Amino acid sequence: MFRAKKRGLRSLRSVFLIVVVIFLIPLIVAVLVNNYFSPNPIYPKYDEVIEISKSSENGYIYFTSAEVIANRIYSNFIDASYVMYKPLSADKGRFLFDFDDARLKSPSHNYPHFTSLLKMNRDYIRVGLFAKAFSSGLTPKKNELAMPKQLQNNPDNSVSDNRNPSIIWVDWKSEILKSSEEVLSNIKKANESKYFIKYPFDKKQSSPVDVKICKALISVALVNCLVNVEMGNYTKAMEWLEEITHLALRCYENSIASESVIEVVKTVYAYLLLSPCLPKWFYSDLVCSLIETKEKLFTFPFYRRFELILLEMEYGFREEGNDNRRMSRIEQIFNSFANYRVVSKQLEEKGDLFLKASWDEVERSVLRGEGRVWNFLINTRDAIFSYYPHSIWSFSSGDYISRTVMNRNLSLVMIYTAILLALCKQYELLNGRFPNNIEETLRGVISDEEISWFLKHSSAVNESNKLIIRIYPLKLSEASKYLNYRLFKGYMGYLYSYFDNLEIELE
């Protein structure tokens, strides 16, 4: 009536199915996780770079130390805070200077930096009396040239002043030179260091990894160069010049678009070359130093810049990607992960093209909207879910790469301009006049190809007694062809503030 159930071992078929299920499911899960939930890192060296940046081999700590000390020296020896300016929109945005005692005014006023007031000291630099005039606290009472007419006719006159300087020095020149030695020492240590990596990154900057030389440090370098030259300490002046240039180059090499080379050339070189105290050999050494800097800048490969872009993107996903008020926490996590996976996959498949791309190829591709690099960015832009975090837009839109191209062009043309100015001054010293032809002046110093490139990125304007060299990030003849030219309009307008600093007076 009742049928007994069979008991015993399971069939081989059942055992096989169980074994397959036990081993197959984890394998399927592993494949899914690996393909969809475990993308390769965008910048595999991120953790390694952060560790190096914290080590004693990183020279960035000496760079920051130099800036801290330079700021103190600037405040005590150079600061012109008793001069106040107000930008008036009614007067087309010009800066109108008010030389009343700023300490009696509201602290809400803005004060110009020493580098903004250099034009007022230009006439003293031209006659070799910068240190004497500056240390006496002389300041013009009106918005006019700093050089009094009687001093122009008789440079040996003593520099008078009817205003007491904010700080009285026993010997301003010797004290500032002595105090600046610690700055120079830290600059040398930064230049000689094995690594030069900014850390921690600055979230306030558009490019957190960029290293920029502060105005105070540039001011201290310029003042030391001018004072040493006027005192006849040419070797020391050249030492300052070479070290601040080397530091600017290191900032350039370790940033996406640092303007340190541009700032050093337009300030230190442009004003030092106005001095009549420079001997013949100084110009030759200066040109040799500039050519060495140019070679390093010229041969700096694009892939090194691209690695910095990946470093900043990795930082953006890890740090910036954690906060966005427009998105809920779930949206932030999803978009950040999804976009990271897209970029990672794109780089895994075609990332090698950035390692092999030349600067010319990158410029043509990104700025004209053609070529492999541009196609890569377009594909990335089409695949991402949203522009989150911000670095994903900077990368996929080509903004990062466009800035690196412009920055390289401007830095290079600045170096070429400094070489040209030095050669013109040297020619004047030897022949009593300036050369008539820019191309001939540069021939034999740099290659014909470099001369051609320089002339396409600059223009010389001859005025009554001035030679003004204007520089451009793009070739003027091809500017209208660039699809992303709108990105450069603001940058080119900003450059016009450089031009007055890069002029030589003709007799």
Side-chain angles (χ1 to χ4, degrees):
M1 184 176 182
F2 299 98
R3 182 174 297 175
K5 293 183 179 181
K6 295 182 179 179
R7 297 180 181 275
L9 297 174
R10 297 180 181 272
S11 66
L12 291 175
R13 182 180 180 183
S14 300
V15 172
F16 176 77
L17 290 175
I18 293 173
V19 171
V20 169
V21 169
I22 291 174
F23 286 96
L24 189 59
I25 290 178
L27 182 61
I28 294 174
V29 172
V31 171
L32 291 174
V33 169
N34 183 64
N35 289 339
Y36 298 98
F37 300 100
S38 181
N40 293 327
I42 291 176
Y43 187 60
K45 299 180 182 179
Y46 183 85
D47 293 323
E48 178 185 347
V49 168
I50 297 301
E51 285 302 314
I52 292 174
S53 68
K54 298 177 182 178
S55 71
S56 59
E57 295 181 313
N58 185 18
Y60 186 73
I61 185 65
Y62 298 113
F63 171 76
T64 55
S65 296
E67 291 202 326
V68 168
I69 302 169
N71 274 295
R72 293 173 185 168
I73 293 174
Y74 178 86
S75 298
N76 289 320
F77 294 96
I78 304 174
D79 186 20
S81 60
Y82 49 83
V83 181
M84 178 177 61
Y85 71 85
K86 299 177 183 179
L88 299 180
S89 57
D91 197 23
K92 300 180 180 180
R94 288 194 305 140
F95 291 116
L96 301 184
F97 290 84
D98 179 3
F99 293 95
D100 291 333
D101 193 341
R103 290 175 181 79
L104 302 178
K105 303 294 182 178
S106 167
S108 62
H109 287 300
N110 294 320
Y111 303 112
H113 197 275
F114 167 73
T115 54
S116 303
L117 300 173
L118 274 172
K119 292 180 188 177
M120 298 181 182
N121 295 287
R122 189 174 349 192
D123 289 321
Y124 291 110
I125 296 173
R126 285 194 179 106
V127 295
L129 290 175
F130 167 78
K132 190 174 184 180
F134 196 83
S135 62
S136 68
L138 180 62
T139 304
K141 300 298 183 294
K142 297 180 181 179
N143 188 10
E144 57 187 15
L145 288 176
M147 188 67 172
K149 291 183 179 180
Q150 64 272 22
L151 194 56
Q152 293 177 2
N153 299 327
N154 186 10
D156 293 329
N157 283 349
S158 60
V159 179
S160 61
D161 184 24
N162 57 6
R163 175 192 299 277
N164 292 325
S166 57
I167 298 175
I168 299 176
W169 305 276
V170 176
D171 185 347
W172 179 84
K173 289 190 291 186
S174 62
E175 288 186 31
I176 191 172
L177 294 179
K178 182 179 179 181
S179 301
S180 300
E181 279 300 310
E182 193 172 355
V183 176
L184 183 60
S185 175
N186 277 282
I187 292 176
K188 288 181 178 179
K189 291 177 182 177
N191 288 337
E192 294 167 359
S193 62
K194 185 176 181 180
Y195 301 102
F196 190 81
I197 305 170
K198 181 177 182 179
Y199 190 80
F201 300 141
D202 189 352
K203 293 183 179 180
K204 297 178 182 179
Q205 291 184 189
S206 57
S207 294
V209 305
D210 281 1
V211 188
K212 301 177 181 179
I213 301 179
C214 70
K215 288 185 176 180
L217 183 53
I218 293 176
S219 301
V220 169
L222 173 60
V223 170
N224 272 271
C225 286
L226 289 173
V227 173
N228 276 297
V229 162
E230 292 179 1
M231 293 176 65
N233 300 329
Y234 304 117
T235 302
K236 195 66 178 180
M238 180 58 69
E239 183 181 7
W240 267 98
L241 196 61
E242 289 178 342
E243 292 297 339
I244 194 66
T245 305
H246 188 185
L247 183 64
L249 182 63
R250 294 213 74 179
C251 292
Y252 169 88
E253 292 175 342
N254 292 277
S255 304
I256 292 176
S258 172
E259 297 179 358
S260 293
V261 171
I262 300 170
E263 292 290 333
V264 166
V265 173
K266 77 163 188 172
T267 303
V268 182
Y269 282 86
Y271 282 97
L272 179 61
L273 285 170
L274 294 176
S275 176
C277 305
L278 303 178
K280 297 177 182 178
W281 65 264
F282 194 94
Y283 293 104
S284 298
D285 286 6
L286 189 149
V287 170
C288 289
S289 177
L290 284 170
I291 290 176
E292 183 181 350
T293 303
K294 180 267 300 181
E295 287 296 326
K296 292 179 180 178
L297 198 151
F298 189 81
T299 56
F300 188 76
F302 170 73
Y303 78 83
R304 291 276 301 278
R305 281 292 178 89
F306 186 69
E307 285 185 345
L308 289 168
I309 292 174
L310 298 183
L311 171 64
E312 186 162 313
M313 286 189 65
E314 187 77 41
Y315 169 79
F317 278 104
R318 295 195 186 197
E319 303 295 334
E320 296 178 7
N322 296 328
D323 182 26
N324 189 311
R325 296 180 180 179
R326 297 181 180 180
M327 295 184 181
S328 66
R329 181 60 177 166
I330 295 177
E331 287 179 303
Q332 291 179 34
I333 294 174
F334 172 78
N335 281 280
S336 182
F337 173 78
N339 287 338
Y340 192 96
R341 180 177 174 275
V342 168
V343 176
S344 172
K345 187 176 181 180
Q346 289 280 86
L347 290 171
E348 184 179 4
E349 294 177 354
K350 300 181 180 179
D352 286 346
L353 71 91
F354 290 99
L355 302 179
K356 301 175 182 178
S358 66
W359 282 104
D360 288 338
E361 180 184 357
V362 172
E363 181 171 349
R364 289 193 303 269
S365 186
V366 178
L367 303 184
R368 294 184 183 181
E370 61 185 30
R372 298 180 303 165
V373 173
W374 181 259
N375 292 334
F376 178 94
L377 296 176
I378 289 294
N379 292 336
T380 302
R381 194 183 313 169
D382 292 341
I384 61 176
F385 288 78
S386 66
Y387 291 127
Y388 178 79
H390 178 75
S391 57
I392 195 70
W393 177 87
S394 297
F395 176 69
S396 61
S397 66
D399 178 62
Y400 272 150
I401 299 177
S402 298
R403 273 189 283 159
T404 66
V405 171
M406 283 198 301
N407 180 256
R408 177 182 185 268
N409 289 352
L410 289 172
S411 298
L412 266 176
V413 76
M414 270 290 189
I415 294 293
Y416 287 131
T417 301
I419 293 173
L420 173 63
L421 298 184
L423 291 173
C424 286
K425 292 291 288 185
Q426 186 182 43
Y427 187 94
E428 181 199 28
L429 192 63
L430 295 173
N431 301 282
R433 62 180 179 83
F434 280 79
N436 298 323
N437 189 292
I438 289 178
E439 188 172 349
E440 289 301 320
T441 303
L442 292 171
R443 195 175 303 281
V445 179
I446 58 177
S447 67
D448 291 346
E449 183 182 357
E450 290 176 286
I451 294 175
S452 177
W453 186 91
F454 171 66
L455 294 177
K456 290 177 181 178
H457 287 80
S458 65
S459 62
V461 180
N462 284 299
E463 296 185 354
S464 57
N465 63 338
K466 297 177 183 178
L467 170 64
I468 304 177
I469 306 298
R470 294 181 174 175
I471 68 172
Y472 305 94
L474 308 175
K475 297 176 183 178
L476 295 179
S477 60
E478 300 181 2
S480 61
K481 299 179 182 178
Y482 293 120
L483 298 180
N484 283 355
Y485 185 66
R486 57 184 175 78
L487 294 174
F488 308 119
K489 287 183 179 178
Y491 209 95
M492 291 186 72
Y494 172 64
L495 283 177
Y496 278 90
S497 64
Y498 295 163
F499 299 154
D500 288 340
N501 291 341
L502 293 173
E503 62 184 32
I504 300 177
E505 287 196 0
L506 301 173
E507 295 182 355

